[in-house]
PDB file of all heavy atoms in Angstrom:
ATOM      1  N   LYS A   1     134.937  94.191  53.047  1.00 95.00           N
ATOM      2  CA  LYS A   1     134.980  95.089  54.202  1.00 95.00           C
ATOM      3  C   LYS A   1     133.705  94.914  55.018  1.00 95.00           C
ATOM      4  O   LYS A   1     132.602  94.996  54.485  1.00 95.00           O
ATOM      5  CB  LYS A   1     135.109  96.546  53.770  1.00 95.00           C
ATOM      6  CG  LYS A   1     135.131  97.511  54.957  1.00 95.00           C
ATOM      7  CD  LYS A   1     135.346  98.949  54.541  1.00 95.00           C
ATOM      8  CE  LYS A   1     135.373  99.853  55.762  1.00 95.00           C
ATOM      9  NZ  LYS A   1     135.612 101.279  55.393  1.00 95.00           N
ATOM     10  N   ILE A   2     133.866  94.709  56.320  1.00 94.00           N
ATOM     11  CA  ILE A   2     132.711  94.511  57.193  1.00 94.00           C
ATOM     12  C   ILE A   2     132.377  95.794  57.945  1.00 94.00           C
ATOM     13  O   ILE A   2     133.263  96.516  58.387  1.00 94.00           O
ATOM     14  CB  ILE A   2     132.962  93.356  58.195  1.00 94.00           C
ATOM     15  CG1 ILE A   2     131.711  93.121  59.054  1.00 94.00           C
ATOM     16  CG2 ILE A   2     134.181  93.648  59.056  1.00 94.00           C
ATOM     17  CD1 ILE A   2     131.804  91.909  59.955  1.00 94.00           C
ATOM     18  N   HIS A   3     131.082  96.064  58.055  1.00 95.00           N
ATOM     19  CA  HIS A   3     130.571  97.153  58.893  1.00 95.00           C
ATOM     20  C   HIS A   3     129.663  96.497  59.938  1.00 95.00           C
ATOM     21  O   HIS A   3     128.583  95.995  59.601  1.00 95.00           O
ATOM     22  CB  HIS A   3     129.758  98.149  58.063  1.00 95.00           C
ATOM     23  CG  HIS A   3     130.522  98.761  56.925  1.00 95.00           C
ATOM     24  ND1 HIS A   3     131.300  99.890  57.066  1.00 95.00           N
ATOM     25  CD2 HIS A   3     130.618  98.393  55.620  1.00 95.00           C
ATOM     26  CE1 HIS A   3     131.842 100.200  55.909  1.00 95.00           C
ATOM     27  NE2 HIS A   3     131.447  99.305  55.008  1.00 95.00           N
ATOM     28  N   THR A   4     130.105  96.462  61.169  1.00 95.00           N
ATOM     29  CA  THR A   4     129.299  95.883  62.240  1.00 95.00           C
ATOM     30  C   THR A   4     128.681  97.008  63.056  1.00 95.00           C
ATOM     31  O   THR A   4     129.392  97.875  63.566  1.00 95.00           O
ATOM     32  CB  THR A   4     130.144  95.001  63.169  1.00 95.00           C
ATOM     33  OG1 THR A   4     130.745  93.947  62.400  1.00 95.00           O
ATOM     34  CG2 THR A   4     129.288  94.391  64.271  1.00 95.00           C
ATOM     35  N   THR A   5     127.359  97.003  63.159  1.00 96.00           N
ATOM     36  CA  THR A   5     126.665  97.986  63.991  1.00 96.00           C
ATOM     37  C   THR A   5     125.818  97.248  65.024  1.00 96.00           C
ATOM     38  O   THR A   5     125.499  96.070  64.859  1.00 96.00           O
ATOM     39  CB  THR A   5     125.804  98.923  63.134  1.00 96.00           C
ATOM     40  OG1 THR A   5     124.960  98.153  62.253  1.00 96.00           O
ATOM     41  CG2 THR A   5     126.673  99.847  62.298  1.00 96.00           C
ATOM     42  N   TYR A   6     125.456  97.947  66.084  1.00 97.00           N
ATOM     43  CA  TYR A   6     124.891  97.317  67.275  1.00 97.00           C
ATOM     44  C   TYR A   6     123.442  97.753  67.488  1.00 97.00           C
ATOM     45  O   TYR A   6     123.102  98.923  67.341  1.00 97.00           O
ATOM     46  CB  TYR A   6     125.732  97.689  68.497  1.00 97.00           C
ATOM     47  CG  TYR A   6     127.159  97.202  68.402  1.00 97.00           C
ATOM     48  CD1 TYR A   6     128.073  97.806  67.530  1.00 97.00           C
ATOM     49  CD2 TYR A   6     127.604  96.120  69.160  1.00 97.00           C
ATOM     50  CE1 TYR A   6     129.381  97.351  67.423  1.00 97.00           C
ATOM     51  CE2 TYR A   6     128.910  95.663  69.067  1.00 97.00           C
ATOM     52  CZ  TYR A   6     129.795  96.280  68.203  1.00 97.00           C
ATOM     53  OH  TYR A   6     131.070  95.832  68.094  1.00 97.00           O
ATOM     54  N   SER A   7     122.605  96.780  67.899  1.00 97.00           N
ATOM     55  CA  SER A   7     121.173  97.034  68.058  1.00 97.00           C
ATOM     56  C   SER A   7     120.633  96.714  69.444  1.00 97.00           C
ATOM     57  O   SER A   7     119.425  96.697  69.638  1.00 97.00           O
ATOM     58  CB  SER A   7     120.377  96.218  67.025  1.00 97.00           C
ATOM     59  OG  SER A   7     120.706  96.584  65.710  1.00 97.00           O
ATOM     60  N   PHE A   8     121.488  96.443  70.415  1.00 97.00           N
ATOM     61  CA  PHE A   8     121.021  96.073  71.751  1.00 97.00           C
ATOM     62  C   PHE A   8     120.024  97.102  72.285  1.00 97.00           C
ATOM     63  O   PHE A   8     120.351  98.273  72.449  1.00 97.00           O
ATOM     64  CB  PHE A   8     122.203  95.966  72.719  1.00 97.00           C
ATOM     65  CG  PHE A   8     123.145  94.845  72.421  1.00 97.00           C
ATOM     66  CD1 PHE A   8     124.310  95.063  71.693  1.00 97.00           C
ATOM     67  CD2 PHE A   8     122.868  93.560  72.859  1.00 97.00           C
ATOM     68  CE1 PHE A   8     125.183  94.025  71.421  1.00 97.00           C
ATOM     69  CE2 PHE A   8     123.739  92.506  72.589  1.00 97.00           C
ATOM     70  CZ  PHE A   8     124.893  92.745  71.869  1.00 97.00           C
ATOM     71  N   GLY A   9     118.802  96.657  72.531  1.00 96.00           N
ATOM     72  CA  GLY A   9     117.783  97.544  73.066  1.00 96.00           C
ATOM     73  C   GLY A   9     117.158  98.479  72.056  1.00 96.00           C
ATOM     74  O   GLY A   9     116.196  99.186  72.375  1.00 96.00           O
ATOM     75  N   LEU A  10     117.676  98.522  70.821  1.00 97.00           N
ATOM     76  CA  LEU A  10     117.155  99.429  69.803  1.00 97.00           C
ATOM     77  C   LEU A  10     116.218  98.739  68.820  1.00 97.00           C
ATOM     78  O   LEU A  10     115.306  99.360  68.286  1.00 97.00           O
ATOM     79  CB  LEU A  10     118.315 100.071  69.019  1.00 97.00           C
ATOM     80  CG  LEU A  10     119.372 100.834  69.828  1.00 97.00           C
ATOM     81  CD1 LEU A  10     120.402 101.446  68.881  1.00 97.00           C
ATOM     82  CD2 LEU A  10     118.734 101.898  70.698  1.00 97.00           C
ATOM     83  N   ASP A  11     116.482  97.450  68.558  1.00 97.00           N
ATOM     84  CA  ASP A  11     115.693  96.717  67.562  1.00 97.00           C
ATOM     85  C   ASP A  11     115.691  95.247  67.957  1.00 97.00           C
ATOM     86  O   ASP A  11     116.258  94.865  68.986  1.00 97.00           O
ATOM     87  CB  ASP A  11     116.299  96.918  66.169  1.00 97.00           C
ATOM     88  CG  ASP A  11     115.273  96.788  65.049  1.00 97.00           C
ATOM     89  OD1 ASP A  11     114.216  96.154  65.274  1.00 97.00           O
ATOM     90  OD2 ASP A  11     115.526  97.298  63.945  1.00 97.00           O
ATOM     91  N   ASP A  12     115.073  94.404  67.142  1.00 97.00           N
ATOM     92  CA  ASP A  12     114.893  93.001  67.511  1.00 97.00           C
ATOM     93  C   ASP A  12     116.182  92.197  67.488  1.00 97.00           C
ATOM     94  O   ASP A  12     116.286  91.188  68.173  1.00 97.00           O
ATOM     95  CB  ASP A  12     113.871  92.342  66.570  1.00 97.00           C
ATOM     96  CG  ASP A  12     112.483  92.937  66.725  1.00 97.00           C
ATOM     97  OD1 ASP A  12     112.224  93.569  67.758  1.00 97.00           O
ATOM     98  OD2 ASP A  12     111.669  92.779  65.801  1.00 97.00           O
ATOM     99  N   GLN A  13     117.158  92.592  66.671  1.00 97.00           N
ATOM    100  CA  GLN A  13     118.423  91.880  66.596  1.00 97.00           C
ATOM    101  C   GLN A  13     119.437  92.515  67.556  1.00 97.00           C
ATOM    102  O   GLN A  13     119.170  93.557  68.162  1.00 97.00           O
ATOM    103  CB  GLN A  13     118.971  91.899  65.172  1.00 97.00           C
ATOM    104  CG  GLN A  13     119.341  93.285  64.663  1.00 97.00           C
ATOM    105  CD  GLN A  13     118.164  94.094  64.183  1.00 97.00           C
ATOM    106  OE1 GLN A  13     117.138  93.534  63.819  1.00 97.00           O
ATOM    107  NE2 GLN A  13     118.313  95.414  64.153  1.00 97.00           N
ATOM    108  N   GLU A  14     120.595  91.873  67.692  1.00 97.00           N
ATOM    109  CA  GLU A  14     121.676  92.417  68.521  1.00 97.00           C
ATOM    110  C   GLU A  14     122.697  93.180  67.689  1.00 97.00           C
ATOM    111  O   GLU A  14     123.302  94.141  68.174  1.00 97.00           O
ATOM    112  CB  GLU A  14     122.377  91.279  69.280  1.00 97.00           C
ATOM    113  CG  GLU A  14     121.460  90.613  70.306  1.00 97.00           C
ATOM    114  CD  GLU A  14     122.098  89.402  70.966  1.00 97.00           C
ATOM    115  OE1 GLU A  14     123.173  88.947  70.495  1.00 97.00           O
ATOM    116  OE2 GLU A  14     121.526  88.905  71.947  1.00 97.00           O
ATOM    117  N   PHE A  15     122.897  92.736  66.452  1.00 97.00           N
ATOM    118  CA  PHE A  15     123.825  93.389  65.536  1.00 97.00           C
ATOM    119  C   PHE A  15     123.185  93.447  64.150  1.00 97.00           C
ATOM    120  O   PHE A  15     122.302  92.662  63.828  1.00 97.00           O
ATOM    121  CB  PHE A  15     125.141  92.601  65.389  1.00 97.00           C
ATOM    122  CG  PHE A  15     125.784  92.193  66.684  1.00 97.00           C
ATOM    123  CD1 PHE A  15     125.446  90.983  67.292  1.00 97.00           C
ATOM    124  CD2 PHE A  15     126.736  92.990  67.294  1.00 97.00           C
ATOM    125  CE1 PHE A  15     126.045  90.587  68.482  1.00 97.00           C
ATOM    126  CE2 PHE A  15     127.336  92.605  68.481  1.00 97.00           C
ATOM    127  CZ  PHE A  15     126.983  91.407  69.083  1.00 97.00           C
ATOM    128  N   VAL A  16     123.679  94.375  63.344  1.00 97.00           N
ATOM    129  CA  VAL A  16     123.436  94.328  61.902  1.00 97.00           C
ATOM    130  C   VAL A  16     124.808  94.338  61.255  1.00 97.00           C
ATOM    131  O   VAL A  16     125.637  95.208  61.550  1.00 97.00           O
ATOM    132  CB  VAL A  16     122.611  95.518  61.395  1.00 97.00           C
ATOM    133  CG1 VAL A  16     122.356  95.371  59.892  1.00 97.00           C
ATOM    134  CG2 VAL A  16     121.289  95.633  62.148  1.00 97.00           C
ATOM    135  N   VAL A  17     125.071  93.353  60.419  1.00 96.00           N
ATOM    136  CA  VAL A  17     126.362  93.290  59.735  1.00 96.00           C
ATOM    137  C   VAL A  17     126.147  93.539  58.255  1.00 96.00           C
ATOM    138  O   VAL A  17     125.199  93.034  57.644  1.00 96.00           O
ATOM    139  CB  VAL A  17     127.072  91.942  59.968  1.00 96.00           C
ATOM    140  CG1 VAL A  17     127.617  91.878  61.378  1.00 96.00           C
ATOM    141  CG2 VAL A  17     126.151  90.769  59.712  1.00 96.00           C
ATOM    142  N   ALA A  18     127.020  94.350  57.694  1.00 97.00           N
ATOM    143  CA  ALA A  18     126.956  94.683  56.272  1.00 97.00           C
ATOM    144  C   ALA A  18     128.354  94.503  55.691  1.00 97.00           C
ATOM    145  O   ALA A  18     129.317  95.072  56.201  1.00 97.00           O
ATOM    146  CB  ALA A  18     126.472  96.108  56.081  1.00 97.00           C
ATOM    147  N   PHE A  19     128.459  93.696  54.657  1.00 97.00           N
ATOM    148  CA  PHE A  19     129.745  93.390  54.042  1.00 97.00           C
ATOM    149  C   PHE A  19     129.787  94.004  52.643  1.00 97.00           C
ATOM    150  O   PHE A  19     128.970  93.645  51.791  1.00 97.00           O
ATOM    151  CB  PHE A  19     129.960  91.888  53.916  1.00 97.00           C
ATOM    152  CG  PHE A  19     130.039  91.143  55.223  1.00 97.00           C
ATOM    153  CD1 PHE A  19     128.879  90.789  55.911  1.00 97.00           C
ATOM    154  CD2 PHE A  19     131.261  90.774  55.763  1.00 97.00           C
ATOM    155  CE1 PHE A  19     128.933  90.091  57.111  1.00 97.00           C
ATOM    156  CE2 PHE A  19     131.330  90.060  56.954  1.00 97.00           C
ATOM    157  CZ  PHE A  19     130.170  89.728  57.636  1.00 97.00           C
ATOM    158  N   GLU A  20     130.727  94.885  52.398  1.00 97.00           N
ATOM    159  CA  GLU A  20     130.970  95.369  51.047  1.00 97.00           C
ATOM    160  C   GLU A  20     131.955  94.416  50.370  1.00 97.00           C
ATOM    161  O   GLU A  20     132.940  93.995  50.981  1.00 97.00           O
ATOM    162  CB  GLU A  20     131.585  96.765  51.070  1.00 97.00           C
ATOM    163  CG  GLU A  20     130.648  97.862  51.529  1.00 97.00           C
ATOM    164  CD  GLU A  20     131.306  99.222  51.381  1.00 97.00           C
ATOM    165  OE1 GLU A  20     131.200  99.809  50.286  1.00 97.00           O
ATOM    166  OE2 GLU A  20     131.943  99.672  52.359  1.00 97.00           O
ATOM    167  N   SER A  21     131.703  94.105  49.107  1.00 97.00           N
ATOM    168  CA  SER A  21     132.573  93.153  48.412  1.00 97.00           C
ATOM    169  C   SER A  21     132.616  93.432  46.920  1.00 97.00           C
ATOM    170  O   SER A  21     131.684  94.007  46.351  1.00 97.00           O
ATOM    171  CB  SER A  21     132.083  91.723  48.653  1.00 97.00           C
ATOM    172  OG  SER A  21     132.895  90.783  47.974  1.00 97.00           O
ATOM    173  N   ASP A  22     133.723  93.003  46.296  1.00 96.00           N
ATOM    174  CA  ASP A  22     133.853  93.071  44.840  1.00 96.00           C
ATOM    175  C   ASP A  22     133.363  91.791  44.184  1.00 96.00           C
ATOM    176  O   ASP A  22     133.272  91.719  42.963  1.00 96.00           O
ATOM    177  CB  ASP A  22     135.320  93.292  44.447  1.00 96.00           C
ATOM    178  CG  ASP A  22     135.864  94.611  44.961  1.00 96.00           C
ATOM    179  OD1 ASP A  22     135.203  95.640  44.747  1.00 96.00           O
ATOM    180  OD2 ASP A  22     136.936  94.607  45.590  1.00 96.00           O
ATOM    181  N   SER A  23     133.080  90.770  45.012  1.00 97.00           N
ATOM    182  CA  SER A  23     132.775  89.449  44.455  1.00 97.00           C
ATOM    183  C   SER A  23     131.687  88.756  45.267  1.00 97.00           C
ATOM    184  O   SER A  23     131.797  88.645  46.489  1.00 97.00           O
ATOM    185  CB  SER A  23     134.040  88.585  44.436  1.00 97.00           C
ATOM    186  OG  SER A  23     133.747  87.231  44.197  1.00 97.00           O
ATOM    187  N   VAL A  24     130.663  88.270  44.588  1.00 97.00           N
ATOM    188  CA  VAL A  24     129.630  87.478  45.244  1.00 97.00           C
ATOM    189  C   VAL A  24     130.207  86.142  45.691  1.00 97.00           C
ATOM    190  O   VAL A  24     129.941  85.663  46.799  1.00 97.00           O
ATOM    191  CB  VAL A  24     128.437  87.250  44.287  1.00 97.00           C
ATOM    192  CG1 VAL A  24     127.412  86.313  44.910  1.00 97.00           C
ATOM    193  CG2 VAL A  24     127.781  88.580  43.918  1.00 97.00           C
ATOM    194  N   ALA A  25     131.032  85.543  44.849  1.00 97.00           N
ATOM    195  CA  ALA A  25     131.611  84.226  45.156  1.00 97.00           C
ATOM    196  C   ALA A  25     132.497  84.280  46.399  1.00 97.00           C
ATOM    197  O   ALA A  25     132.462  83.370  47.229  1.00 97.00           O
ATOM    198  CB  ALA A  25     132.403  83.710  43.960  1.00 97.00           C
ATOM    199  N   ASP A  26     133.294  85.336  46.532  1.00 97.00           N
ATOM    200  CA  ASP A  26     134.169  85.449  47.693  1.00 97.00           C
ATOM    201  C   ASP A  26     133.375  85.532  48.983  1.00 97.00           C
ATOM    202  O   ASP A  26     133.749  84.941  50.011  1.00 97.00           O
ATOM    203  CB  ASP A  26     135.073  86.674  47.572  1.00 97.00           C
ATOM    204  CG  ASP A  26     136.248  86.440  46.629  1.00 97.00           C
ATOM    205  OD1 ASP A  26     136.403  85.297  46.161  1.00 97.00           O
ATOM    206  OD2 ASP A  26     136.986  87.406  46.362  1.00 97.00           O
ATOM    207  N   PHE A  27     132.266  86.268  48.944  1.00 97.00           N
ATOM    208  CA  PHE A  27     131.463  86.373  50.164  1.00 97.00           C
ATOM    209  C   PHE A  27     130.831  85.035  50.515  1.00 97.00           C
ATOM    210  O   PHE A  27     130.788  84.644  51.681  1.00 97.00           O
ATOM    211  CB  PHE A  27     130.373  87.442  50.005  1.00 97.00           C
ATOM    212  CG  PHE A  27     129.571  87.621  51.262  1.00 97.00           C
ATOM    213  CD1 PHE A  27     130.124  88.215  52.385  1.00 97.00           C
ATOM    214  CD2 PHE A  27     128.251  87.171  51.330  1.00 97.00           C
ATOM    215  CE1 PHE A  27     129.390  88.357  53.563  1.00 97.00           C
ATOM    216  CE2 PHE A  27     127.516  87.316  52.497  1.00 97.00           C
ATOM    217  CZ  PHE A  27     128.079  87.907  53.612  1.00 97.00           C
ATOM    218  N   LEU A  28     130.338  84.309  49.515  1.00 97.00           N
ATOM    219  CA  LEU A  28     129.782  82.975  49.769  1.00 97.00           C
ATOM    220  C   LEU A  28     130.832  82.083  50.431  1.00 97.00           C
ATOM    221  O   LEU A  28     130.544  81.387  51.411  1.00 97.00           O
ATOM    222  CB  LEU A  28     129.301  82.367  48.455  1.00 97.00           C
ATOM    223  CG  LEU A  28     128.610  81.000  48.536  1.00 97.00           C
ATOM    224  CD1 LEU A  28     127.594  80.849  47.420  1.00 97.00           C
ATOM    225  CD2 LEU A  28     129.622  79.846  48.455  1.00 97.00           C
ATOM    226  N   ASP A  29     132.057  82.099  49.906  1.00 96.00           N
ATOM    227  CA  ASP A  29     133.117  81.253  50.469  1.00 96.00           C
ATOM    228  C   ASP A  29     133.453  81.666  51.897  1.00 96.00           C
ATOM    229  O   ASP A  29     133.693  80.805  52.761  1.00 96.00           O
ATOM    230  CB  ASP A  29     134.367  81.337  49.595  1.00 96.00           C
ATOM    231  CG  ASP A  29     134.161  80.723  48.217  1.00 96.00           C
ATOM    232  OD1 ASP A  29     133.191  79.946  48.057  1.00 96.00           O
ATOM    233  OD2 ASP A  29     134.957  81.016  47.302  1.00 96.00           O
ATOM    234  N   LEU A  30     133.485  82.960  52.163  1.00 96.00           N
ATOM    235  CA  LEU A  30     133.792  83.441  53.513  1.00 96.00           C
ATOM    236  C   LEU A  30     132.740  82.977  54.514  1.00 96.00           C
ATOM    237  O   LEU A  30     133.078  82.470  55.592  1.00 96.00           O
ATOM    238  CB  LEU A  30     133.875  84.966  53.524  1.00 96.00           C
ATOM    239  CG  LEU A  30     133.994  85.631  54.905  1.00 96.00           C
ATOM    240  CD1 LEU A  30     135.251  85.170  55.621  1.00 96.00           C
ATOM    241  CD2 LEU A  30     133.970  87.145  54.771  1.00 96.00           C
ATOM    242  N   VAL A  31     131.471  83.118  54.162  1.00 96.00           N
ATOM    243  CA  VAL A  31     130.403  82.710  55.076  1.00 96.00           C
ATOM    244  C   VAL A  31     130.439  81.211  55.321  1.00 96.00           C
ATOM    245  O   VAL A  31     130.242  80.745  56.444  1.00 96.00           O
ATOM    246  CB  VAL A  31     129.025  83.149  54.536  1.00 96.00           C
ATOM    247  CG1 VAL A  31     127.904  82.583  55.399  1.00 96.00           C
ATOM    248  CG2 VAL A  31     128.936  84.668  54.504  1.00 96.00           C
ATOM    249  N   GLN A  32     130.714  80.441  54.262  1.00 96.00           N
ATOM    250  CA  GLN A  32     130.800  78.988  54.436  1.00 96.00           C
ATOM    251  C   GLN A  32     131.934  78.620  55.391  1.00 96.00           C
ATOM    252  O   GLN A  32     131.774  77.752  56.258  1.00 96.00           O
ATOM    253  CB  GLN A  32     131.019  78.309  53.082  1.00 96.00           C
ATOM    254  CG  GLN A  32     131.032  76.783  53.189  1.00 96.00           C
ATOM    255  CD  GLN A  32     131.185  76.097  51.838  1.00 96.00           C
ATOM    256  OE1 GLN A  32     131.386  76.766  50.819  1.00 96.00           O
ATOM    257  NE2 GLN A  32     131.087  74.795  51.818  1.00 96.00           N
TER     258      GLN A  32
END
């Protein structure tokens, strides 16, 4: 599950993304 939040004008980045997962391997495969 992805949680995308926005930082335009608030911090140095434009977004902060946080992914909840049951598996480390699945997240690695998704990012690849």
Side-chain angles (χ1 to χ4, degrees):
K1 179 176 181 179
I2 183 173
H3 302 273
T4 301
T5 51
Y6 298 73
S7 298
F8 293 97
L10 304 182
D11 207 338
D12 295 341
Q13 65 280 337
E14 294 174 349
F15 311 89
V16 182
V17 286
F19 296 81
E20 290 186 87
S21 179
D22 297 310
S23 167
V24 175
D26 282 355
F27 183 71
L28 183 150
D29 293 342
L30 172 60
V31 173
Q32 183 177 6

